[in-house]
Amino acid sequence: MALASISSISATLSFLIYLSLPYSNAANKNILHQSPPGGSRRPMVFPLFLSQSNASSPRSVSIHHRKLHNTDSKPLPHSRMRLYDDLLLNGYYTTRLWIGTPPQMFALIVDSGSTVTYVPCSDCEQCGKHQDPKFEPELSSTYQAVKCNMDCNCDDDKEQCVYEREYAEHSSSKGVLGEDLISFGNESQLTPQRAVFGCETVETGDLYSQRADGIIGLGQGDLSLVDQLVDKGLISNSFGLCYGGMDLGGGSMVLGGFAYPSEMIFTDSDPDRSPYYNIDLTGIRVAGKQLSLNSRVFDGEHGAVLDSGTTYAYLPDAAFSAFEEAVMREASPLKQIDGPDPNFKDTCFHVASSNDVSGLTKIFPTVEMVFKSGQSWLLSPENYLFRHSKVRGAYCLGVFPNGKDHTTLLGGIVVRNTLVVYDRENSKVGFWRTNCSELSDRLHIDGVTPPPPATLPSNASNPSSGEIQIGQIILDVQLTVNSSYLKPRSEELSRLFSDELDVKSSQVNLSNLTSKGNNSLIRIVVVPSEESSSLFSNVTAMSIVSRFSNHEIKLPDNFGNYELVSYKLEPPRKRTRWEMKNIIVVIATVIIIVVVVGLLAYGVLLIWKRKQSSNPYKPVDEAIIVAEQEMQPL
């Protein structure tokens, strides 16, 4: 997981101190953490503290021998998922997962160094305020707690399995283990699947303060989401990550195998050597010149480790000194300046007042990672530089020394605009430079159009699963325009939303229009049509949510970009006793008025009839009738 930022490059990966997960192997219980760069950097440490119940567990499964038992020749599906946020502004990339029935959405940090997925639980009294509401197990008809068993650490009552994670930067996460249906989004070929995840009851440190809801664990371990899907024969034993560039952010993630380009550069990855994804790095070239280093400098205990959750890159001291010197020599015409944080001795250069990233390749040297096979992986300046946060047109090295530790740790900055394929079945990792924001179009990765279904497959062990009544959908959306611009155009915006959702304008209401810096936060309330049964089906509700979360709602450019911040699916609103009393009073009042009006009308009718009877009609007396006289001629 990545918990670093430009102003404070904090630790992001550590070995796990406690691991108490069911079905886990002793070799898979470690989480890497790095020490902060600059200033007084602590060396990277790898404490191997196993929980008592699991410390003696033999390593019965070799990860790289994990094979599929699927004999069907039909290709396995994959799940393509968008990535959000920005590596250096946020310190991480996130993706979206939906958990439960009906699904509850979460923004989770993409972390190939973690082996468990966890989100805040509704009963967590020490959890921070994150992007989405906490997970509510009681609202999911398919949720089940993982009962205490001999393969896990249990709570004090010996009823439920628990987990605990503690990291080098003094943040931690602990909670209980649960199992529920997980949906992967409307670009996934995978249907919702049951998986075990952590339901947090305590967060501390950066985990408490970060905006993201939790972690999606992609590491090598029995509770890794990838391992769970592979073990069920649902996907092939592979996944891919593609992080956006310096100015773009975003990107894509693919769980399962797909047709990657033939020109990918692959290197071996030894799962027996380390539970982390490593590569056989033997050297580095800067501007085509090999650094004068013994190849064994990159051959520490765990080799050269790739971790998507780490922000920056960390080299052994000897390798860093040679790398820094080579880059400074090639960029010698540039003026060196102080870094953005005075607490760290960053290596920074002032390029120009222009902030154009595309011109960096003309100023800074290319870097090549050389593998044991002799092939090399080419890096551009955006793979080892980050933008100075205080000086326009200045850039700093995103590579730091790792103190006394000899481990090489390559974080997300090194793989920006690079498709990385983790071919776990063949123990290889591949690299291909590309525009990650256009990955899906360039690779023609097939997706499916249905949204993440809310009517999820029933679980045989939970026959009570079913739909939950949804009376309204509440979406909090952030737009990149000022609220003063939006307010006079709220009716137009409401009409645009209703057109995009193909509902009547009366079904969409906008409220709570507030400013958030230069952005605006609006609340969109969508209600069923009057002709319907005053309820949304679960499928329709999640289709609407999914269209917002996957940016399928098209708005004119003048409304800027938008981001779904949170959403709620609410049941039909039950009337309170006060409202019921008011309704009764209104009904009684109406009845009284009707009775009074009826009596008055009846009284008026009687009076009119009485007047009519007191003046009876009498025919004209025949004697009075004058006989008609014949007119005489003149």
Side-chain angles (χ1 to χ4, degrees):
M1 56 184 232
L3 302 168
S5 64
I6 293 177
S7 60
S8 176
I9 309 173
S10 61
T12 57
L13 254 138
S14 81
F15 273 95
L16 124 87
I17 292 181
Y18 261 113
L19 181 69
S20 51
L21 299 177
Y23 320 118
S24 59
N25 299 318
N28 301 327
K29 295 185 172 77
N30 310 319
I31 294 181
L32 268 169
H33 268 229
Q34 77 214 27
S35 53
S40 56
R41 296 184 177 90
R42 296 191 304 273
M44 185 186 297
V45 293
F46 302 95
L48 296 176
F49 298 109
L50 305 181
S51 59
Q52 186 175 359
S53 63
N54 291 326
S56 60
S57 300
R59 185 177 184 184
S60 58
V61 178
S62 181
I63 297 173
H64 71 296
H65 292 145
R66 187 188 299 272
K67 298 292 183 180
L68 295 175
H69 299 290
N70 189 348
T71 58
D72 191 354
S73 59
K74 184 180 179 180
L76 291 171
H78 60 256
S79 174
R80 179 162 65 94
M81 303 162 69
R82 296 192 185 207
L83 299 183
Y84 302 89
D85 302 302
D86 180 88
L87 183 68
L88 298 183
L89 294 179
N90 301 92
Y92 49 70
Y93 279 105
T94 62
T95 191
R96 303 292 187 265
L97 277 187
W98 288 260
I99 303 177
T101 308
Q104 302 172 43
M105 187 178 71
F106 299 96
L108 304 181
I109 296 174
V110 176
D111 189 4
S112 63
S114 292
T115 57
V116 65
T117 297
Y118 53 81
V119 297
C121 218
S122 59
D123 60 352
C124 182
E125 297 181 355
Q126 191 178 319
C127 285
K129 185 177 181 181
H130 303 297
Q131 182 169 328
D132 299 291
K134 300 172 184 176
F135 177 68
E136 300 187 62
E138 62 275 10
L139 295 185
S140 174
S141 61
T142 48
Y143 175 82
Q144 288 181 328
V146 177
K147 301 299 183 182
C148 179
N149 61 76
M150 62 183 298
D151 294 317
C152 75
N153 280 358
C154 301
D155 56 16
D156 295 337
D157 297 328
K158 305 297 181 183
E159 292 182 354
Q160 191 169 356
C161 288
V162 297
Y163 78 95
E164 185 171 352
R165 291 290 187 275
E166 189 169 323
Y167 303 100
E169 79 281 3
H170 307 298
S171 65
S172 64
S173 169
K174 66 179 181 179
V176 298
L177 292 177
E179 185 183 31
D180 210 334
L181 283 163
I182 293 181
S183 304
F184 303 94
N186 70 342
E187 296 178 346
S188 172
Q189 295 176 347
L190 277 176
T191 57
Q193 302 295 330
R194 294 193 70 82
V196 175
F197 64 98
C199 204
E200 287 183 305
T201 55
V202 173
E203 293 176 338
T204 65
D206 290 328
L207 287 173
Y208 181 91
S209 58
Q210 71 188 13
R211 186 169 182 263
D213 302 312
I215 301 290
I216 177 172
L218 305 174
Q220 302 184 98
D222 290 328
L223 280 178
S224 164
L225 186 58
V226 177
D227 283 72
Q228 292 188 64
L229 296 174
V230 170
D231 285 344
K232 293 180 179 181
L234 299 170
I235 63 172
S236 59
N237 198 3
S238 174
F239 70 94
L241 291 174
C242 203
Y243 284 0
M246 186 178 288
D247 284 336
L248 296 175
S252 290
M253 175 173 75
V254 182
L255 299 180
F258 58 96
Y260 47 76
S262 58
E263 58 267 29
M264 287 198 77
I265 303 298
F266 278 92
T267 178
D268 291 333
S269 180
D270 186 0
D272 284 332
R273 178 177 186 176
S274 168
Y276 312 105
Y277 299 112
N278 55 72
I279 58 176
D280 57 358
L281 183 66
T282 59
I284 298 177
R285 297 191 192 115
V286 177
K289 301 174 184 177
Q290 186 94 7
L291 298 183
S292 299
L293 294 169
N294 191 312
S295 61
R296 287 180 295 180
V297 73
F298 304 107
D299 197 25
E301 180 183 356
H302 296 274
V305 175
L306 277 178
D307 181 36
S308 66
T310 299
T311 307
Y312 300 98
Y314 296 81
L315 301 177
D317 283 359
F320 171 77
S321 297
F323 176 79
E324 182 186 40
E325 181 181 350
V327 173
M328 291 177 66
R329 184 170 55 249
E330 295 296 326
S332 58
L334 299 176
K335 178 184 177 183
Q336 290 194 41
I337 61 174
D338 294 332
D341 192 331
N343 295 319
F344 301 106
K345 297 179 181 178
D346 294 321
T347 303
C348 301
F349 308 89
H350 189 267
V351 178
S353 57
S354 171
N355 219 20
D356 185 11
V357 177
S358 62
L360 293 181
T361 54
K362 300 176 183 178
I363 302 170
F364 290 95
T366 58
V367 173
E368 295 173 81
M369 298 290 182
V370 184
F371 303 130
K372 188 177 181 179
S373 63
Q375 291 185 299
S376 62
W377 161 33
L378 184 66
L379 307 182
S380 72
E382 72 173 346
N383 297 122
Y384 62 84
L385 295 174
F386 67 89
R387 195 191 300 279
H388 199 297
S389 60
K390 295 181 178 178
V391 179
R392 183 174 177 82
Y395 299 86
C396 306
L397 278 184
V399 181
F400 305 99
N402 203 19
K404 296 180 181 180
D405 195 276
H406 300 294
T407 298
T408 299
L409 182 60
L410 304 177
I413 190 174
V414 180
V415 294
R416 289 199 289 196
N417 270 338
T418 302
L419 171 62
V420 183
V421 171
Y422 297 80
D423 187 352
R424 296 157 29 121
E425 185 152 348
N426 297 304
S427 301
K428 293 181 179 296
V429 176
F431 305 92
W432 182 58
R433 283 202 59 78
T434 183
N435 184 340
C436 287
S437 64
E438 301 173 355
L439 178 68
S440 302
D441 297 331
R442 300 192 66 181
L443 293 183
H444 306 290
I445 300 176
D446 295 327
V448 291
T449 53
T455 306
L456 303 175
S458 60
N459 177 26
S461 61
N462 187 4
S464 63
S465 62
E467 291 197 355
I468 292 180
Q469 292 185 331
I470 300 173
Q472 63 179 359
I473 305 167
I474 300 176
L475 307 113
D476 289 333
V477 176
Q478 180 174 291
L479 288 90
T480 57
V481 290
N482 193 277
S483 61
S484 60
Y485 176 84
L486 275 185
K487 286 180 180 178
R489 297 168 177 82
S490 58
E491 291 186 8
E492 177 188 355
L493 185 59
S494 178
R495 186 173 62 256
L496 288 170
F497 282 133
S498 63
D499 291 342
E500 284 291 308
L501 296 174
D502 195 22
V503 298
K504 295 180 179 179
S505 57
S506 59
Q507 293 179 244
V508 179
N509 300 301
L510 301 186
S511 63
N512 294 357
L513 185 61
T514 58
S515 295
K516 192 175 182 182
N518 291 325
N519 300 329
S520 300
L521 190 65
I522 63 171
R523 171 159 290 184
I524 306 169
V525 180
V526 186
V527 298
S529 63
E530 296 178 357
E531 292 80 7
S532 68
S533 60
S534 299
L535 291 174
F536 283 112
S537 70
N538 282 206
V539 171
T540 300
M542 283 314 300
S543 174
I544 292 174
V545 173
S546 178
R547 294 197 64 191
F548 278 94
S549 65
N550 289 300
H551 295 87
E552 296 176 2
I553 303 296
K554 306 300 182 185
L555 297 178
D557 293 340
N558 61 306
F559 286 107
N561 299 319
Y562 70 89
E563 187 79 23
L564 178 62
V565 177
S566 64
Y567 77 96
K568 293 180 182 178
L569 304 180
E570 294 193 344
R573 193 168 63 92
K574 294 182 179 180
R575 294 187 174 95
T576 63
R577 291 184 178 180
W578 182 84
E579 289 176 318
M580 292 299 295
K581 289 180 180 178
N582 280 353
I583 291 174
I584 293 173
V585 169
V586 170
I587 293 174
T589 303
V590 171
I591 292 174
I592 292 172
I593 292 174
V594 170
V595 171
V596 170
V597 171
L599 291 174
L600 289 175
Y602 183 69
V604 170
L605 181 61
L606 288 177
I607 293 172
W608 181 78
K609 286 185 175 182
R610 187 170 296 172
K611 287 184 177 180
Q612 291 295 321
S613 61
S614 62
N615 297 294
Y617 170 76
K618 292 181 179 180
V620 179
D621 192 350
E622 293 181 359
I624 302 178
I625 297 177
V626 179
E628 184 179 352
Q629 296 181 359
E630 186 176 342
M631 294 186 68
Q632 299 297 322
L634 292 176

